[in-house]
Structures are given as structure tokens and as C-alpha cells.
Amino acid sequence: MIDVIKGILFDFDGTLSRRIEAAYFMYRWCMHQILPEMDVHSVEFEAVVQRCMLWDEYGTIRKSHVFEQVKKHYCPDLDVDYWTNRWYEVFHEFQIEMPEVYEVLTDLKEKYKLGIVTNGSGASQNRKIDVLDLRKYFDTVIASGDFGKDKPDVSIYEQAAKDLGLECSEVAFVGDTFATDILGAVKAGMKPVWFCYERKCVTIYDVVQLKNYKEVREYFLENNGWNS
């Protein structure tokens, strides 16, 4: 018998926030500081920013790698450590919430216990969560930098379920990155839900895919005959 889902955990970047859009404007800000001689409205400047987005790999690679590439291709004197640190100091200012996220979380909270499990520095991730005023919706918030283990390590999922007072089998995990969010959720025994708002998700693996928060609402609150 499958346990009834009583809790939902969410990833942050790319799931609660529009991470790609936030990163785009952050890189525009960085490159304007690094290459002030360039016209920010020019196609050449846009090409630099778009290359940064490619090097960024949806935020899954260390930021120093991106700035190492900027140094190699555009600015030989760039202080990589300085700009890596600046990213984490400033990125919270560029956060953008997912459409309808506040309304849907309000409704979900009436039926489910909710939590966030996010990879990254505790200080940085918590600033991003707070700038979007999201903390009030959640019963637990775990950043891997504070916890000591990154997704997909099963222990971070188990701790989040424990914080909710639930078994892993009673929890769904909603996230946008298969190799961390979905892999870890499956290994922990949670119900995985792949959130595909910012990029097309292609897989032969049997996993629920939701494109936006309208679909999140429908899945968990309206058409959830599966959860009984």
C-alpha cells in the first residue's frame, strides 16, 4: 500500500524562483562592471552575457568556473575570487518568484506540511528565500551548506521529512534538477515531481512532470485522486 502524501518539499532555485531569469540579470550586472567600455544594449554585450549563461550550466557548476572563463576570454586581469564572492553577496537582489507561487503555496499549506531543501551556502540561500518573503509558508528550510550534505545525499531528505514529522514515503519532492532533486527523492523513498518551468524536461524515466504552479495546484489539490 502506498502512503498518502502529507508533505511537500520544494527545491528553491528554478522551482520557487525563476533562477535562469535571475542569473541572466545578475550576469548583465557583473559584466557591466567588468567590461564598462561595452554598450550594454549592443549585440556584442548580449553575446558575452549569453556565454556566461552557458558556462553557468543552470547554476549547477561553481561560480569560479564562470569567472575563470570570463577571465580567459574577455578580461585577463579579472580577480576571479573577488567576483565569485560578489556573486554570492549580491545575487539575492535579483531574485524573481515563480508566477502564482504565493497563491498556490497559501492553498497547499492548508492541506500539506511544506518545506524547502536547497543546495548552496546557507547565508546565500536564506537571503534569497527571505528577499522573496517565502519563509512564512514553510515548516522547515534546509540549505545544504548548513546541513553539511548536498542533494542528492539521502540524509538531507530524511532530515527534512523528520522536521515535518513525516516518513519519507509520506512526502513529495518538487524540483527542477533531475540529477539532484529527482535522484535524491527517489533514493529517499519520496514521490518525485520534476518541475519544468524554465527548461524542457526530456526523459524516458517514469516521473510526474509539472510546468507551472497552476499545474502544481491541479496535481496536489484538484486532480489528486492518486493521493488516497
Side-chain angles (χ1 to χ4, degrees), residues 5 18 27 35 49 79 95 110 136 141 144-145 154 158 173:
I5 298 301
R18 285 185 265 176
Y27 281 120
L35 301 171
V49 174
D79 186 333
Q95 298 307 297
E110 293 183 5
K136 62 190 177 187
V141 174
S144 68
V154 169
E158 292 173 337
F173 194 101

Side-chain angles (χ1 to χ4, degrees), residues 35-223:
L35 301 171
E37 70 279 6
M38 292 192 74
D39 177 1
V40 296
H41 303 294
S42 68
V43 68
E44 290 83 5
F45 182 82
E46 185 66 22
V48 173
V49 174
Q50 293 298 334
R51 289 193 80 179
C52 289
M53 293 294 287
L54 291 175
W55 293 325
D56 183 79
E57 297 185 20
Y58 298 105
T60 61
I61 199 163
R62 68 190 193 284
K63 289 300 160 291
S64 58
H65 167 78
V66 180
F67 291 113
E68 284 164 1
Q69 294 303 311
V70 171
K71 179 175 183 176
K72 177 181 178 181
H73 292 276
Y74 301 113
C75 187
D77 298 327
L78 187 72
D79 186 333
V80 171
D81 289 339
Y82 171 81
W83 280 103
T84 299
N85 290 331
R86 284 298 283 159
W87 176 280
Y88 293 111
E89 291 168 354
V90 175
F91 190 35
H92 66 280
E93 298 177 12
F94 291 85
Q95 298 307 297
I96 307 167
E97 75 278 3
M98 283 288 171
E100 300 184 61
V101 68
Y102 299 121
E103 299 89 339
V104 174
L105 288 175
T106 297
D107 293 341
L108 289 174
K109 193 168 177 59
E110 293 183 5
K111 180 175 180 180
Y112 298 95
K113 293 183 177 180
L114 305 180
I116 296 175
V117 179
T118 175
N119 278 356
S121 152
S124 177
Q125 295 304 96
N126 279 293
R127 280 197 298 266
K128 290 190 285 186
I129 290 165
D130 288 335
V131 80
L132 292 184
D133 194 25
L134 285 168
R135 193 175 301 274
K136 62 190 177 187
Y137 297 102
F138 296 97
D139 302 293
T140 186
V141 174
I142 302 178
S144 68
D146 291 334
F147 182 73
K149 296 284 186 179
D150 292 333
K151 294 177 293 183
D153 191 282
V154 169
S155 63
I156 197 169
Y157 295 81
E158 292 173 337
Q159 182 61 55
K162 183 178 179 181
D163 289 350
L164 298 181
L166 300 173
E167 299 296 325
C168 286
S169 57
E170 298 176 304
V171 178
F173 194 101
V174 181
D176 70 308
T177 305
F178 197 101
T180 52
D181 301 317
I182 304 306
L183 175 62
V186 171
K187 288 185 174 295
M190 294 182 176
K191 182 175 183 62
V193 176
W194 201 6
F195 190 71
C196 303
Y197 178 87
E198 291 193 306
R199 45 184 161 157
K200 185 175 181 180
C201 299
V202 179
T203 181
I204 63 169
Y205 187 80
D206 185 17
V207 61
V208 173
Q209 296 184 31
L210 304 177
K211 299 191 299 291
N212 52 52
Y213 273 85
K214 178 181 178 182
E215 292 191 357
V216 171
R217 182 201 301 277
E218 290 173 351
Y219 186 72
F220 285 105
L221 293 174
E222 297 174 12
N223 305 321

